[in-house]
Amino acid sequence: MNRTTLSLIGAATALAAVTGVATLTGGSPDGADGSAKAAGRMPVERSTLLCPTPTSSEVAGTTYTAFTPRRSGTAAAGGGEGAAALLPAQGPSDDVTGPGAGDDGGKGGKGERRSAARGDGTPVLPLKQPGKPVTTDTDRSDAPALIGTADGRFAPGWTVQQTTTIAAGSGRGIMGTACTAPDTDFWFPGASTARGRQDFVHLTNPDETAAEVDLKLYGVRGRLKPSTDESITVPPRATVPVLLSTLTDQRAADVSLRVTSRTGRVGAAVQSADEKTGGDWIPASAEPAAGVALPGVPADATSVRLVVFAPGSDDADLKVRLAGRTGSITPAGHESLHVKSGMTAAIDLGDVTKGEPGSLLLTPEGGEGRATPVVAGLRVTRGKGSAQESAFIPATARIDRTATAADNRAKGSTLSLVAPGATARVRVTASAASGGGTPVSKTYTVKGGTSTTVTPPRPASGKGGYAVTVERLSGGAVHASRMLALPQDGVPMFTIQGMPDDGGTVVVPDARQDLSVLNDGGK
């Protein structure tokens, strides 16, 4: 093919691209102003969320709560009326591809699977309007995983919470999780393959083609020797739970799990059940970063265990601080933490809060110039003896604009806010309840280097669950989490959800036609 032909093809392609941009942005063909406008923010037009299989327990009940915040101004929803709902995913069959199949009666043997029920195609939690949550309950032990989409005015900030209460048995307590968006890479520091723990990673595929997923475990000496090198196949619109102890013959109390997709994308969540301290969902850590925040350690925590992993080629040296109500302190005996590359580090901080709630902050020991990205998580235990319950706090991404936690009750909700650097100002809004009422807002100032823990406002009148939205108004970075405490029979049952930014808006550059791009300068 000669150069003239290539030039003609290039010119035609460029012309098509420019015309397409002008059509999408509504640009004038005359380019009247002669200059490009600055990028603006627009609401997303479609969101996807995945909820894992809640439980196989016969003595459990699950509440689902869905919510889309009511927005205004440039964040107001576009794209027409829209809709939001979830549909049941298919459960794994006995011949699902992966490292083994079958069930050994819960003994944790190689290749164990827990089967989710096949759905009947009935939509779950359809929203009727932004600003008002909807809830539904089930006590089915075969309740399926859910795959959902929201579009139009329901897409920006769409949030779904899944809260399961297990009355007895392994994992007894509250297991709560915010349903997550699909992705290709997840980190779960704080998982375990130890005896006495059963940790399942739930992989849910929202798409019409199969996904191939790799699972890798890293302990204190590096990667745990795998019992198989096979990837996991997650069929289209289906879910596959995998017991972590089947992936290796090594038993380790503290491991970091990496979930990566070779093809396709999945939602991933780790369900942890402990024979002595109950259980909860382990959320994925925020993306690797040199400095991380783990918000919302409760005041009455009897044990706090920090797990950190350095995924890069360099070791990480971190300063450990606890941000409290009036400032930050260094936990005695744990001023710093050295994390070797490719290895998991874990330290027991005990009752580090000493009766005052706080948030843990990890920053580079040598300053930003020697920063090494890490992922991190906390395992928090409340109660003593046979009345213990545990939950997990991940390193949580900051709130750029808004974040929401659904399923708040009349009692038991606690909101934690931490500003690692400069002072931040936020507005917290309680939505209308599922049974009516009106929203209520309150503004808080979080001083730099401190953590603020509050009971969030409740909607005026109305009954039922409600959502809490945190909106960053000004100042420095702020991170947040929500604790839901529902004590039962003397056990301090609780769950904690990090509140990263909801990604409800995206930056959209403004473009105009410029046919000068077709001029190659006479070359």
Side-chain angles (χ1 to χ4, degrees):
M1 187 178 292
N2 61 36
R3 188 176 186 278
T4 302
T5 304
L6 287 171
S7 298
L8 289 172
I9 293 174
T13 303
L15 181 60
V18 171
T19 304
V21 169
T23 301
L24 288 172
T25 61
S28 166
D30 298 327
D33 62 359
S35 62
K37 297 179 181 179
R41 298 197 72 89
M42 295 293 290
V44 298
E45 295 184 354
R46 185 178 178 87
S47 297
T48 300
L49 291 177
L50 308 172
C51 306
T53 306
T55 181
S56 60
S57 174
E58 298 286 347
V59 288
T62 299
T63 297
Y64 296 93
T65 305
F67 176 76
T68 293
R70 189 185 303 276
R71 297 174 183 253
S72 59
T74 58
E81 286 296 308
L86 300 103
L87 290 171
Q90 291 188 339
S93 62
D94 291 340
D95 60 352
V96 165
T97 302
D103 190 344
D104 66 357
K107 297 177 182 179
K110 186 174 180 179
E112 182 178 355
R113 293 287 189 274
R114 293 194 303 170
S115 179
R118 294 185 180 274
D120 59 5
T122 303
V124 179
L125 296 174
L127 287 180
K128 294 183 178 180
Q129 63 186 62
K132 183 179 179 181
V134 295
T135 65
T136 189
D137 300 301
T138 181
D139 58 3
R140 288 174 52 186
S141 61
D142 63 347
L146 300 175
I147 299 172
T149 57
D151 57 21
R153 63 182 181 140
F154 294 102
W158 184 45
T159 302
V160 180
Q161 170 79 14
Q162 173 181 299
T163 306
T164 302
T165 302
I166 302 176
S170 180
R172 174 266 302 133
I174 296 177
M175 290 190 170
T177 183
C179 302
T180 58
D183 207 338
T184 59
D185 195 9
F186 302 86
W187 282 102
F188 296 93
S192 179
T193 62
R195 291 177 175 83
R197 277 273 292 270
Q198 283 202 337
D199 286 13
F200 284 84
V201 59
H202 289 243
L203 307 171
T204 306
N205 178 4
D207 299 321
E208 301 299 332
T209 57
E212 297 290 330
V213 180
D214 286 331
L215 304 176
K216 296 180 180 179
L217 296 169
Y218 299 86
V220 295
R221 294 181 177 85
R223 187 179 175 189
L224 301 188
K225 184 179 179 180
S227 57
T228 177
D229 288 327
E230 295 181 24
S231 64
I232 306 295
T233 298
V234 187
R237 306 287 296 180
T239 190
V240 175
V242 181
L243 182 63
L244 297 189
S245 59
T246 67
L247 302 175
T248 179
D249 294 328
Q250 297 176 257
R251 296 291 166 260
D254 302 291
V255 301
S256 298
L257 167 67
R258 188 177 193 182
V259 178
T260 53
S261 294
R262 295 186 187 183
T263 60
R265 56 181 189 155
V266 295
V270 174
Q271 188 179 49
S272 177
D274 189 283
E275 292 178 354
K276 296 181 179 179
T277 60
D280 205 345
W281 291 95
I282 304 177
S285 172
E287 293 184 0
V292 301
L294 302 102
V297 182
D300 60 350
T302 52
S303 174
V304 177
R305 189 162 183 82
L306 171 65
V307 182
V308 186
F309 182 81
S313 58
D314 297 326
D315 294 356
D317 289 290
L318 303 168
K319 292 189 292 186
V320 181
R321 293 181 297 149
L322 179 72
R325 181 174 55 86
T326 59
S328 299
I329 63 170
T330 300
H334 298 291
E335 295 81 5
S336 62
L337 176 64
H338 181 73
V339 187
K340 293 183 178 180
S341 171
M343 300 184 186
T344 295
I347 55 175
D348 191 351
L349 300 174
D351 58 342
V352 64
T353 55
K354 304 295 183 182
E356 180 179 312
S359 301
L360 209 67
L361 304 176
L362 305 179
T363 54
E365 182 75 55
E368 293 298 328
R370 299 185 60 188
T372 299
V374 298
V375 292
L378 291 175
R379 186 185 188 203
V380 178
T381 303
R382 299 171 67 216
K384 296 181 179 180
S386 60
Q388 294 183 74
E389 161 74 316
S390 58
F392 297 86
I393 303 173
T396 303
R398 70 184 187 184
I399 300 174
D400 292 322
R401 281 169 174 76
T402 57
T404 297
D407 191 11
N408 295 278
R409 317 284 177 93
K411 295 181 179 179
S413 292
T414 302
L415 180 67
S416 293
L417 306 164
V418 59
T423 296
R425 185 167 168 264
V426 302
R427 177 164 53 227
V428 178
T429 300
S431 73
S434 58
T438 56
V440 173
S441 296
K442 188 173 182 179
T443 300
Y444 299 92
T445 297
V446 187
K447 293 183 178 180
T450 71
S451 184
T452 297
T453 301
V454 299
T455 299
R458 300 185 181 94
S461 68
K463 295 182 179 181
Y466 63 99
V468 169
T469 298
V470 178
E471 180 184 2
R472 176 179 166 271
L473 300 176
S474 62
V478 62
H479 305 252
S481 70
R482 187 281 313 271
M483 182 175 81
L484 180 62
L486 301 173
Q488 182 175 307
D489 299 329
V491 179
M493 295 185 180
F494 74 115
T495 183
I496 299 174
Q497 279 72 57
M499 297 174 63
D501 190 86
D502 61 20
T505 61
V506 292
V507 176
V508 179
D510 190 88
R512 61 183 176 84
Q513 286 189 13
D514 185 0
L515 297 183
S516 66
V517 300
L518 303 181
N519 184 358
D520 64 357
K523 296 179 182 179

